[in-house]
Amino acid sequence: MYRLILAAAAAGFALLAVADANAADTYPYPARTRTELNKLFYDIQPATNWTGFYAGINGGYSAGQDLRGITLGGQLGYNYQLDRNWVVGVEADMQYNPQPNWWGTVRGRAGYLLTPDVLLYATAGWAYVLPTHAHRATSGWTAGGGAEFKLSGPWSVKTEYLYVGTNPQQAHVVRAGINYRF
C-alpha cells in the first residue's frame, strides 16, 4: 500500500510539471476559427499590385503598305488586378508615323502574371487613321499581344506586337515602351 501511495504521488508531481510547462505557452484569446487561420496562411496578398492608371511613351516600327516606318507615340490606360494571377484593362494610344502621319488604337487588355512583376497579355480593339492631305480618315480593328515588366517603384517597361487593319491600311507593328503608374 505504501508503494501505491508513493507511485500516485510521483505521478501527481509529474502531471504538475507538465501542467507548468504548458502554462508557459500562450494561446490566442479568443480562439481562432478555421476560416481565420486559413486567411493567415493562404490569403497572402501579391507582392505587387497592377491596379491603377498609367501613362507612357513608346516607339517601334510598322511594316505595311501604307503604315510603314518608325512609329513614336504615347499611351494612357487603366489596369485592374482580378486576383493574384489575372489582370484586365483598357489602353488608348496615339502614334506618329511618317506615312500617314497620325494613327492610334483603343484596346482592351487581358493578361496573366507569370510572376508578380511579369505580365503576359493579349489585346484587341479599335484602330483609326487620321486624315492628311493624301489620305482620308479610316478605322478598323487591331489585335496583338505583349509582355510588361515592373521595375522598381511606379515604372514598368513593355514590348508588344499589334496587327492593325484599317481599310485600306494594314500593318504589323512592333514596339517597346515605358509606363508610369499613378
Side-chain angles (χ1 to χ4, degrees):
M1 179 77 161
Y2 180 70
R3 288 184 185 172
L4 185 59
I5 292 172
L6 226 64
F13 285 122
L15 287 174
L16 286 174
V18 171
D20 287 340
N22 281 337
D25 295 336
T26 59
Y27 295 100
Y29 182 79
R32 295 189 190 261
T33 65
R34 174 54 97 189
T35 303
E36 290 172 328
L37 290 172
N38 285 343
K39 284 183 183 179
L40 288 174
F41 294 102
Y42 299 111
D43 291 345
I44 299 171
Q45 294 297 320
T48 57
N49 191 340
W50 289 76
T51 298
F53 289 96
Y54 63 90
I57 57 172
N58 66 69
Y61 187 80
S62 59
Q65 182 178 356
D66 292 320
L67 288 171
R68 65 178 177 268
I70 300 294
T71 182
L72 301 170
Q75 65 267 352
L76 295 170
Y78 180 82
N79 285 329
Y80 180 75
Q81 188 166 345
L82 298 172
D83 62 19
R84 70 175 35 178
N85 291 332
W86 295 98
V87 176
V88 295
V90 63
E91 181 174 290
D93 65 74
M94 183 145 212
Q95 305 297 128
Y96 175 79
N97 185 278
Q99 296 178 25
N101 293 343
W102 295 100
W103 64 278
T105 67
V106 177
R107 300 171 280 121
R109 293 190 343 159
Y112 182 80
L113 292 168
L114 290 179
T115 71
D117 296 328
V118 178
L119 174 68
L120 292 181
Y121 63 89
T123 184
W126 176 60
Y128 61 91
V129 176
L130 296 178
T132 62
H133 64 280
H135 294 84
R136 61 181 174 80
T138 60
S139 69
W141 61 277
T142 184
E148 191 164 353
F149 308 91
K150 274 203 169 190
L151 303 175
S152 63
W155 296 97
S156 66
V157 293
K158 71 176 186 172
T159 182
E160 69 183 356
Y161 163 81
L162 292 176
Y163 174 82
V164 178
T166 60
N167 194 15
Q169 292 91 3
Q170 297 176 8
H172 300 275
V173 180
V174 177
R175 61 187 180 186
I178 187 165
N179 288 325
Y180 180 85
R181 299 189 181 289
F182 301 79

